[in-house]
Amino acid sequence: QQQVKQSPQSLIVQKGGIPIINCAYENTAFDYFPWYQQFPGKGPALLIAIRPDVSEKKEGRFTISFNKSAKQFSLHIMDSQPGDSATYFCAASMDSSNTGKLIFGQGTTLQVKP
Amino acid sequence: DTEVTQTPKHLVMGMTNKKSLKCEQHMGHRAMYWYKQKAKKPPELMFVYSYEKLSINESVPSRFSPECPNSSLLNLHLHALQPEDSALYLCASSQDWPGAVNQPQHFGDGTRLSIL
């Protein structure tokens, strides 16, 4: 119940395409869902985050869609660029745990071809 | 550049050595974290400090010993490590909790540790 399942494991798109990465969870107590972007040799960087009371959130070219009833959320990258090539992790946590503990998905390696 | 600074960036040590990893943040965050990340895997939580007190130890072997000397610094002391401990060790920090609604965790770029 503590798992976050992420798919696909890897993704290749052409420049300008819209890669979509999906995550699913079981624990309905999760109430915070961040996405992290990680480049080789770097630490994860927070990209965008959403809470269950919102169905969609946009920041620049990045959009999170959230479906509370289906317990799924996804990241869309509009007009993708080669510089977006990185590993993306979704995560989930719950305020009530008072721990700040993040449960990460397994990651998606994205390659954007020029 | 990240606001969480980790040193050293790379560390090679033998199984009998003692070394320390250091992490520093000046964002006024009162929660600090150590993670371990293997290649092509997500970060795994090791320890959490809140207000300089250890609040979570994820059943980490005693050969890893964390220390939080003040609100800006976090150390991870290493002793008698095994080859399987080779990994990227990440430090992160976030605004204080409990009570705070989930705050973003800011990661450093990690220390790449190799055990010979």
Side-chain angles (χ1 to χ4, degrees):
Chain A
Q1 250 210 341
Q2 287 288 80
Q3 282 186 328
V4 176
K5 295 182 179 178
Q6 184 172 345
S7 63
Q9 189 174 0
S10 62
L11 188 53
I12 301 174
V13 300
Q14 291 294 132
K15 177 182 174 183
I18 306 176
I20 300 172
I21 304 171
N22 300 298
C23 288
Y25 63 98
E26 288 297 321
N27 191 341
T28 54
F30 287 144
D31 51 16
Y32 175 68
F33 302 90
W35 284 88
Y36 283 86
Q37 178 190 55
Q38 187 174 24
F39 293 105
K42 297 290 187 181
L46 180 67
L47 202 55
I48 186 173
I50 198 168
R51 297 190 183 278
D53 52 348
V54 175
S55 61
E56 185 176 278
K57 184 175 181 180
K58 290 183 182 180
E59 284 189 10
R61 295 183 294 107
F62 300 93
T63 299
I64 300 179
S65 298
F66 189 86
N67 186 329
K68 189 174 180 178
S69 60
K71 291 184 283 187
Q72 295 175 349
F73 58 110
S74 59
L75 177 71
H76 297 61
I77 305 175
M78 311 302 288
D79 186 27
S80 59
Q81 302 295 312
D84 297 328
S85 299
T87 300
Y88 292 81
F89 293 100
C90 63
S93 67
M94 59 186 91
D95 284 341
S96 60
S97 72
N98 279 341
T99 63
K101 181 173 179 177
L102 289 172
I103 309 298
F104 283 93
Q106 288 301 301
T108 297
T109 302
L110 171 66
Q111 182 183 355
V112 181
K113 292 190 170 182
Chain B
D1 290 341
T2 62
E3 296 177 83
V4 176
T5 304
Q6 291 188 243
T7 55
K9 292 191 186 305
H10 302 275
L11 179 62
V12 179
M13 57 187 287
M15 288 191 284
T16 57
N17 291 158
K18 285 186 182 180
K19 296 285 185 185
S20 296
L21 310 185
K22 297 187 183 302
C23 173
E24 189 168 5
Q25 58 88 14
H26 294 288
M27 295 180 282
H29 291 171
R30 302 307 295 272
M32 296 187 76
Y33 311 77
W34 280 115
Y35 287 86
K36 173 183 178 180
Q37 186 178 29
K38 292 284 223 180
K40 300 188 185 301
K41 295 292 185 182
E44 299 173 41
L45 185 65
M46 299 174 72
F47 303 103
V48 181
Y49 274 82
S50 175
Y51 289 85
E52 296 90 72
K53 286 185 170 33
L54 182 65
S55 60
I56 294 181
N57 177 338
E58 291 284 293
S59 303
V60 179
S62 60
R63 57 186 185 267
F64 295 91
S65 175
E67 178 196 19
C68 190
N70 60 55
S71 60
S72 300
L73 293 174
L74 187 65
N75 298 322
L76 186 62
H77 302 299
L78 314 172
H79 175 54
L81 295 194
Q82 303 298 308
E84 62 265 27
D85 296 322
S86 297
L88 180 68
Y89 287 84
L90 294 162
C91 173
S93 70
S94 67
Q95 287 288 357
D96 46 5
W97 52 267
V101 174
N102 270 305
Q103 298 296 316
Q105 290 185 25
H106 299 260
F107 285 81
D109 286 336
T111 294
R112 177 74 59 188
L113 177 65
S114 298
I115 308 300
L116 299 178

